[in-house]
Amino acid sequence: MATHDAVEVILAKRGGGELSESQIDWVIDAYTRGEVADEQMSALAMAILLNGMERHEISRWTAAMIASGERMDFSALSRPTADKHSTGGVGDKITLPLAPLVAACGVAVPQLSGRGLGHTGGTLDKLEAIPGWRAALSNDEMLAQLESVGAVICAAGDGLAPADKKLYALRDVTGTVEAIPLIASSIMSKKIAEGTGSLVLDVKVGTGAFMKDESTARELAETMVALGQDAGVHTVALMTDMSTPLGLTAGNAVEVAESVEVLAGGGPADVVELTLALAREMLAGAGRGDIDPADKLADGSAMDVWGQMIRAQGGDPDAPLPQARESHVVSAPASGVLTRLDAMAVGLAAWRLGAGRARKEDPVQAGAGVVWHARPGDPVTEGAPLLTLLTDEPERFERALASLEGGFDIGESASYAERPLLIDRVD
Ligand code: URA
């Protein structure tokens, strides 16, 4: 590999120029090895945030991050593979019903997931509410479970895109997270290294999402879809609303319970709609578009796979889920129609109640969270329960209640305008 100088690479991007393939390969490799210092990579990340990158630069940057670690290979499996990635939202438990549902349709789902940081929840934190369930699997265990059960949700090992791990932590503390080339390459390097044959991206738009407006969300979706296709992974993106939280719960155990309702053929209509929309995309991407996933929810086969998937990782799907020791009910201050429930307000409340963490080493409470008793568009009656806050530590209620101030509106039914959940599809 050609050798460059970190300052030369920074100056090239600072001046608004394009980085060469050789500069990109070198800087990612040298940063992973510790030869390029954090302060140099910070300067480069800021230059990228300010001056952007061309599509071919992002593609090379992604390939270099993949090359910094191992690449998994599921080609020996007897079924095709499909995965889904969400850019993160509030009440976004979709992975839980989706993975067993798609597996029940004959497509294997290798779902490497993360823990929550900030107001958005993490899939692993949710599943860890199930007594006995463990997130860490070796690559061999993962492969064996994909063959026998068809679905695995587990923690990504340290070997996958280590350059991204280092760079993401640096971006977090240098104000350089919000650069579309860096977000897109970060997400896609991990997904491509994971080795899935097809990928569906759920790009969230709204107050509770990373991308607050449709045009930046679309740019991110288009960039990620192009990266996937450049790498030979069949990739499509759905842009979906995240101004309202999904379902009726945000937290850990409460979201597992809601997911099980969906697998049992019930559950909130928006969670079912998004689960089925993503399942159809995953099945089409894996060449099984002829199967209707709604049938597998109705006939109980998705629920059977859920039970097998949880048991295979040490969990007891029939054990009672942990419950918070304390609860606090917020009553509706007026009668009318709930015209708005803000995803960010609910996400922050759940986080402050202990469902999420402030630092990545903090523990989370399995029982903490928020349950809402009406969705936008539903009638509400003054004095009736609107939200229930759950935590083991009652001193947390005050800050959670503060985050809900201004977080919902009750009005006349004529003032309610329904927002579509599915905003657009990018392929
Ligand atoms: N998620 C990631 O994995 N990387 C980012 O840069 C942003 C969100």
Side-chain angles (χ1 to χ4, degrees), residues 85 87 164 168 171 177 182-184 186-187 190 210:
H85 178 82
T87 56
D164 176 65
Y168 190 74
R171 287 165 54 213
V177 168
L182 296 179
I183 298 174
S186 166
I187 292 173
K190 287 172 285 200
F210 228 179

Side-chain angles (χ1 to χ4, degrees), residues 173-205:
V173 294
T174 56
T176 51
V177 168
E178 287 86 359
I180 286 183
L182 296 179
I183 298 174
S185 56
S186 166
I187 292 173
M188 294 304 290
S189 62
K190 287 172 285 200
K191 288 290 152 184
I192 296 165
E194 176 200 282
T196 186
S198 64
L199 176 64
V200 179
L201 300 162
D202 181 2
V203 179
K204 302 286 189 198
V205 191

